[in-house]
Amino acid sequence: MQKIEFDKDFLWGCATASYQVEGAIDEDGRQPSIWDTFCKKDGAILHGDDGSIAADQYHRYKEDVQLMSELNFQAYRFSIAWPRVLPEGRGEVNQKGLAYYINLSKELHLKGIKVVATLYHWDLPQILQDEGGWAVRSTAYAFADYAKVCFEALGPYVDQWITLNEPFCAAYLGYLYGEHAPGIKNPQKAFQAVHYLNLAHGLAVKEYKKSGLRVPIGTTLNPSLPRPASRKAEDEKAALYARSIFTDVFLYPLVGKGYPKEVTEDMHISFPILDGDMEIIAQPIDFIGINYYMERAVVLDETKPFLHREVPSWQRATNQDWPIVPYGLLRILKYFDQVTNGLALYITENGCANDDVLQDGRVHDHFRCDYLNEHLAACKKAIDEGVNLKGYFVWSFMDNFEWAWGYSRRFGIVYVDYETQERFPKDSAYMMRDIISGYCEY
């Protein structure tokens, strides 16, 4: 048994996303997002689930904030639903939509909880998708206009801003593999989306700098640094290729390094860059958020579009078959620290899905407790080795709509009975409470 101690200024938070928890998809002026549309597509979502009710946080946010307070959380990372604020994607502002986020922020501050707002967590207004979505340049500029509205209206209430959540998923799962909304399988559109998402981030940061706001702003990536499956030079190269296409195409432009040559030269992938784009993308930011869940092993395979192939892993896995590799988080933190020259980092998501069972009002999710403890140990080791890690947000505060998995996978540290919407803190929630208090040994 050991006690892992973090500095008192280390920020402890929990996280959710708008479409996954809010529900109320057709209330108070909100218009459809790409996920509302995607959920209606036959076979797109397991069991035909959708986010129409989700965890009903739109109506129950006070109850949820009270529970966060009881569990000791210092910050809540949530996302703003673009189609709730700008129902037509651009133009007229929906004041009722803004009012929800203002009220949520006020409630959080009332309990002494910091507000960490993500501008985009995948719920693009469907009307913008009809114009081409992230595969067209105009969407990046529409995002900048949307960001400006949020900065002006919510600026007094937000303690930390995040522009995008996981552009990897929006670009690749949305436009390359078709597993997420809008469900497109088109490599050219996927790489256009990569660039226009990067551009959208930079344009939003430019708007932020003009706003006069002074709280930190950054972005969140879900980096993938697969390990080579052998010591062979070819497999080392496979790991480099995997990192380049899945991580560096988002990370390098942020820090002024452009797109990696392994992607542009070796994979012959081009991006729709115009003069000035890369300077816009490389706007100075205050931090980068890292979402981490797993790591896989790869070998070189020149028959594949990205010149590598995943091979089986031996580690324990979650019920999504995601191998549990805490050391992978340490490697990512050290890599980001090196590439960004010591920029502040936050773990903005970390957690696991588990086959949780509610019995007599309790959920004994010790599998999740072990997972979180092992990854927190990796965080502490990174700090001890000089990484500028400033905080940790557990994913997720509560069970929710898990995208293509529907409601079949539970990530929350709080169990949600979807029939009654009653909340039940799991053992992992009480463990996090004690970790934050500084009185937990494990």
Side-chain angles (χ1 to χ4, degrees):
M1 183 174 294
Q2 60 178 323
K3 182 175 181 180
I4 301 176
E5 296 189 67
F6 291 81
D7 291 342
K8 291 191 180 299
D9 61 352
F10 192 79
L11 185 65
W12 294 99
C14 55
T16 65
S18 51
Y19 193 74
Q20 293 183 270
V21 298
E22 285 180 0
I25 61 171
D26 55 3
E27 291 187 35
D28 293 336
R30 182 192 180 278
Q31 291 296 307
S33 75
I34 55 175
W35 274 94
D36 297 302
T37 303
F38 190 61
C39 287
K40 295 175 182 176
K41 181 179 176 181
D42 287 345
I45 311 296
L46 196 61
H47 306 313
D49 294 336
D50 61 40
S52 57
I53 299 174
D56 197 32
Q57 189 167 87
Y58 191 78
H59 301 111
R60 299 170 184 267
Y61 69 90
K62 289 188 177 182
E63 173 187 351
D64 290 339
V65 172
Q66 175 61 33
L67 190 49
M68 291 174 205
S69 176
E70 292 172 2
L71 293 172
N72 255 351
F73 283 106
Q74 301 165 342
Y76 179 39
R77 176 183 174 237
F78 61 87
S79 73
I80 301 164
W82 190 343
R84 204 180 287 288
V85 172
L86 292 176
E88 302 302 318
R90 53 171 69 88
E92 186 174 352
V93 177
N94 178 24
Q95 295 300 330
K96 286 185 177 179
L98 281 175
Y100 168 70
Y101 298 107
I102 291 171
N103 291 335
L104 170 59
S105 299
K106 286 181 175 179
E107 192 69 19
L108 288 162
H109 282 165
L110 191 65
K111 300 295 184 180
I113 300 172
K114 288 187 175 182
V115 174
V116 180
T118 301
L119 289 168
Y120 185 73
H121 199 132
W122 310 349
D123 43 1
L124 183 74
Q126 179 60 41
I127 194 168
L128 293 183
Q129 184 60 45
D130 295 340
E131 299 174 9
W134 287 112
V136 298
R137 190 177 183 89
S138 59
T139 302
Y141 286 87
F143 179 75
D145 292 340
Y146 156 66
K148 182 179 179 182
V149 169
C150 292
F151 295 148
E152 289 177 351
L154 303 175
Y157 310 100
V158 174
D159 300 295
Q160 200 161 328
W161 290 96
I162 294 171
T163 55
L164 305 177
N165 179 80
E166 298 183 359
F168 165 97
C169 293
Y172 292 148
L173 299 188
Y175 291 86
L176 182 63
Y177 303 117
E179 297 173 3
H180 280 189
I184 292 170
K185 297 180 181 181
N186 184 312
Q188 181 180 358
K189 289 186 176 181
F191 300 121
Q192 290 170 339
V194 167
H195 183 66
Y196 293 138
L197 283 155
N198 287 339
L199 182 62
H201 158 79
L203 290 168
V205 174
K206 283 194 73 175
E207 287 295 337
Y208 183 79
K209 297 297 171 66
K210 291 189 287 186
S211 73
L213 298 173
R214 293 290 180 266
V215 300
I217 187 169
T219 193
T220 281
L221 306 181
N222 58 320
S224 176
L225 272 68
R227 64 190 180 277
S230 76
R231 292 188 178 185
K232 297 175 184 176
E234 61 192 55
D235 291 342
E236 295 278 356
K237 191 135 192 187
L240 173 61
Y241 283 140
R243 190 195 77 199
S244 298
I245 189 65
F246 295 140
T247 298
D248 293 345
V249 294
F250 302 105
L251 176 60
Y252 278 19
L254 287 176
V255 295
K257 293 180 181 238
Y259 291 111
K261 63 180 179 61
E262 289 80 10
V263 172
T264 58
E265 296 178 11
D266 296 3
M267 300 178 197
H268 309 293
I269 292 169
S270 61
F271 300 94
I273 304 169
L274 295 184
D275 286 347
D277 281 4
M278 303 313 291
E279 290 77 16
I280 292 171
I281 296 169
Q283 294 290 308
I285 53 178
D286 300 304
F287 67 90
I288 293 178
I290 292 172
N291 294 353
Y292 179 80
Y293 294 95
M294 62 167 175
E295 177 188 272
R296 297 191 186 275
V298 295
V299 296
L300 189 71
D301 188 339
E302 294 179 346
T303 69
K304 300 294 185 182
F306 303 145
L307 308 179
H308 72 276
R309 171 171 47 87
E310 292 180 352
V311 293
S313 297
W314 59 269
Q315 289 90 349
R316 293 174 301 150
T318 70
N319 64 6
Q320 290 175 295
D321 196 31
W322 290 0
I324 301 171
V325 190
Y327 184 73
L329 176 55
L330 175 62
R331 291 201 310 115
I332 282 174
L333 285 167
K334 293 174 72 171
Y335 177 68
F336 269 60
D337 186 67
Q338 175 189 354
V339 172
T340 68
N341 196 28
L343 187 67
L345 303 174
Y346 289 84
I347 302 302
T348 39
E349 291 182 22
N350 179 236
C352 68
N354 187 41
D355 296 319
D356 297 322
V357 177
L358 179 68
Q359 188 171 13
D360 299 326
R362 294 297 301 270
V363 177
H364 302 299
D365 59 335
H366 288 190
F367 178 88
R368 179 175 291 108
C369 291
D370 290 343
Y371 177 100
L372 296 175
N373 284 331
E374 291 166 4
H375 287 79
L376 286 171
C379 290
K380 184 59 167 65
K381 184 168 177 58
I383 293 170
D384 290 345
E385 294 185 13
V387 174
N388 190 18
L389 181 62
K390 294 292 191 179
Y392 176 96
F393 291 73
V394 64
W395 183 272
S396 156
F397 170 65
M398 64 206 307
D399 294 333
N400 53 50
F401 175 77
E402 186 47 41
W403 307 113
W405 292 95
Y407 295 99
S408 69
R409 298 296 186 271
R410 292 180 178 270
F411 269 90
I413 60 169
V414 173
Y415 186 96
V416 177
D417 182 327
Y418 293 117
E419 291 187 7
T420 66
Q421 291 296 339
E422 190 172 357
R423 277 77 157 129
F424 299 90
K426 305 175 188 179
D427 283 359
S428 57
Y430 296 125
M431 182 196 75
M432 287 302 302
R433 177 201 63 194
D434 289 352
I435 287 173
I436 298 166
S437 75
Y439 290 94
C440 184
E441 293 186 2
Y442 37 82

